[in-house]
Amino acid sequence: MTATTTAPLSFTVSHPAAPVPDAQREAILAEPGFGKHFTDHMVSIDWTLEDGWTNAQVVPYGPIQMDPAASVLHYAQEIFEGLKAYRHEDGSIWTFRPEANGKRLQLSAKRLALPELSVEDFVQSLRELIAVDGDWVPSGEDMSLYIRPFMIANESFLGVRSAQKASYMVIASPAGPYFAGGVKPVSIWLSTEYSRAGRGGTGEAKCGGNYASSLLPQMEAAENGCSQVLFLDAVTQEYIDELGGMNVFFVKKDGNLLTPNLNGNILHGVTRASIIQLAKDRGLEVEERPISINEWKEGFTNGDIVEAFACGTAAVVTPINELKGADFSVGDPNAPAGELTLSLREELTDIQYGRRQDRHGWMTRLDA
Ligand code: COI
């Protein structure tokens, strides 16, 4: 289903009777954790097959009413995005490549048979939320407001077909580092029993179902002392796809980078694309190709691969120093973060926090 509105939507705004008091908000912002606290408002836009996108609103944050027969509750017709608002030193509020997230939401919508929202309305929905909840954007090292746009099918109908009614919403949550240890290197668990995505499935869509299927293997990872799970391709169980919620990169001993190619099963990570660009700007080569699990295992052992890292909006760039499976472990859980990993992380976050020139025009100001 393509975008059914051409004119940009205009939003109505209503405020909560009792917003979070200033002192309580400041206490939350001082130690937000990840995904635990939510701002005073949310965005909501309705869609029907008949009328397209209507009823664009900023409303008080709170529970939503839903019919128990709403299709999302039965057939998981749901997609989402993740991006961050950063407070720059002068107090202004910015976000990173929001058009890329808007386009990816459209790609996910196509795959999940949901309606497409225009990129313009997507970006405007972020601006509308920041206009009322700007005070919720924390300042300080690695602090941000994590913004979670999502879309659900909410037609009350139990037949299995694409819903004729949907809602797009945006909520936001002040965030510190995604992993409790910050930029500390993490261990990764190789799942051999489960796959994340099969050929022709929903692997490259950002839909809740992909994350639901990663939860059991993610629990297995945690039981084995690992922060994230690694999935292989479902057909041969030989090639690396991605982690439970982030893309993966390797640094070869010649200093060049290696990452799995976008093969239909892998999320088109905005951070992934940006890292590739930053590496190329430095004159490094980035190979995007199938990478076998043995190439990682052997590379970590014989020194052909000198660094590995996970990347995503939430994880930013997180060093990996160990890969573990049921009967093996490679790397060293005590090894420090890799040099290139940290330097790419620094360059990316410097751009996001306005500490370095934004030479690609990636930043969009949200509060003006
Ligand atoms: C993100 O990085 O924004 C994601 O959606 C991943 C999720 C694990 C928080």
Side-chain angles (χ1 to χ4, degrees), residues 64-108:
I64 49 177
Q65 267 214 333
M66 194 179 282
D67 192 291
S71 25
V72 65
L73 301 177
H74 303 272
Y75 307 126
Q77 205 185 351
E78 185 269 354
I79 56 175
F80 67 97
E81 271 304 318
L83 60 171
K84 285 175 172 172
Y86 308 90
R87 190 174 292 286
H88 286 188
E89 210 182 341
D90 64 0
S92 57
I93 300 171
W94 298 72
T95 194
F96 184 70
R97 307 187 74 177
E99 295 82 11
N101 292 86
K103 283 190 192 132
R104 190 173 61 185
L105 189 74
Q106 292 183 334
L107 182 130
S108 302

Side-chain angles (χ1 to χ4, degrees), residues 34 80 82 146 148 178 206 211 245-246 312-315:
F34 184 88
F80 67 97
Y146 184 78
R148 171 54 62 87
Y178 184 72
K206 200 161 176 67
Y211 294 77
M246 40 211 80
T313 299

Side-chain angles (χ1 to χ4, degrees), residues 230-232 238-242 248 250 260 291-293 296:
L230 171 74
F231 292 105
L232 301 178
E238 202 185 322
Y239 294 98
I240 295 167
D241 263 1
E242 65 179 62
V248 64
F250 304 98
I291 302 164
S292 76
I293 188 63
W296 185 357

Side-chain angles (χ1 to χ4, degrees), residues 190-192 194-195 230-242 250 260 263 289-298 323:
L190 174 65
S191 175
T192 45
Y194 304 104
S195 297
L230 171 74
F231 292 105
L232 301 178
D233 76 283
V235 179
T236 66
Q237 283 282 293
E238 202 185 322
Y239 294 98
I240 295 167
D241 263 1
E242 65 179 62
F250 304 98
N263 60 7
R289 62 163 169 83
I291 302 164
S292 76
I293 188 63
N294 281 338
E295 185 170 353
W296 185 357
K297 280 188 191 171
E298 285 165 20
L323 172 68

